[in-house]
Structure formats: structure tokens, C-alpha cells
Amino acid sequence: MATTALGGNPVNTVGELPAVGSAAPAFELVGNDFAPVTLPTGTRVILNIFPAISTGICSASVRKFNELAAGLDNATVICVSNDLPFALAAFCGAEGIENVTMGSGFRSTFGDDYGVKMADGKWAGLLGRSIVVVGEDGNVIYTQLTANIGEEPDYDAAIAALG
């Protein structure tokens, strides 16, 4: 298990992020339209993983990756939380989010498979703020679990990992 923090209190996750160099675990999330969202092949992927779209840092990360995604070639950004697709779709509609794919893990094993589901603390069951970057070959090339849920991920490092 890995450790992050929420409000200064340690929070454990159910596991560890996939190791750099390992194959990224396959997944099936639920998109805003309830269609399946899966790990694309043959392209680079940034997984922006967060607890809840209704919080300031989570919504800021989606806005920032939406902005960054507009300038990426051969790369997809998938924003993942356990929010219901209704909430994700409402946020995207209100904010004009069009350059990222939203994926809900509410009926998926994504949080367990990627080791990011919070195992304890008041947000147990939600996903810890993290980034996973996957190369065209399907292997993990960068990961980050933020030290504190209340801090933004390292956008520059995620983009730099794309090469």
C-alpha cells in the first residue's frame, strides 16, 4: 500500500501504482454517455486520477489537462474518478471541457487495479490524486501519487514523460 494525506491525516491506498516499465492494467470505465471507456492502444495516455469533480483541486486538474490536451499530438488524456457519469457530464458541459475523456470508476475495479483506491480515512473508497502516463507500447512511463490529496499533480512532469 502507498500513503498520501487528507487534511494532514495519513491515508493509505489499497496498493501501489503500477511500476514504471510494467504493462498498464486494462480497464473499463463508464463515460459521460455511459459508453465504455478503455485504455487506448497505439497512443500515449495520461490518466489524471482524482477523488471528486466537485472539489476545487480536482476540477482544476481537469481544466488544466483539458488545456494541455489541446496541444498534444498522439496522446489522450483520460480523467478518472468514482463520480457518477451524470456529475462528470454536468461539469464538462458547464466548463466547456472537450479535449479530455472522462471516465467513472463507480462500477469498475480501476481503483484496486491501479492501487489508488483510498483504503481508510473519511474519503475511503474514493481514488487518491495521482497520474499515470502510458507509452504507445502500453507500458507505464511515469507515475505520481501526490503527497497530499489537496495538492495539484505535477503537470509538467506528466507532459515531459510523453517525450
Side-chain angles (χ1 to χ4, degrees), residues 19-22 44 132-137 139-143 161-163:
V20 170
S22 69
R44 302 169 304 157
V132 176
V133 181
V134 181
E136 289 180 38
D137 61 0
N139 291 328
V140 176
I141 56 176
Y142 172 80
T143 64
L162 294 174

Side-chain angles (χ1 to χ4, degrees), residues 70-83:
L72 297 177
D73 291 325
N74 193 31
T76 300
V77 177
I78 303 175
C79 297
V80 183
S81 74
N82 281 349
D83 288 298

Side-chain angles (χ1 to χ4, degrees), residues 66-136:
N66 185 64
E67 175 187 315
L68 293 169
L72 297 177
D73 291 325
N74 193 31
T76 300
V77 177
I78 303 175
C79 297
V80 183
S81 74
N82 281 349
D83 288 298
L84 292 176
F86 303 113
L88 297 173
F91 174 82
C92 290
E95 297 284 333
I97 304 296
E98 297 179 346
N99 300 317
V100 299
T101 300
M102 303 300 285
S104 172
F106 85 104
R107 59 180 177 205
S108 168
T109 60
F110 179 90
D112 293 306
D113 297 343
Y114 276 76
V116 295
K117 184 170 74 174
M118 290 185 265
D120 51 32
K122 67 181 182 179
W123 287 7
L126 297 179
L127 306 180
R129 186 175 323 286
S130 47
I131 300 292
V132 176
V133 181
V134 181
E136 289 180 38

Side-chain angles (χ1 to χ4, degrees), residues 2-46:
T3 303
T4 184
L6 178 62
N9 298 310
V11 175
N12 297 300
T13 62
V14 297
E16 301 282 337
L17 286 165
V20 170
S22 69
F27 57 78
E28 184 171 302
L29 303 167
V30 180
N32 289 357
D33 58 358
F34 282 83
V37 173
T38 59
L39 183 65
T41 58
T43 188
R44 302 169 304 157
V45 179
I46 296 174

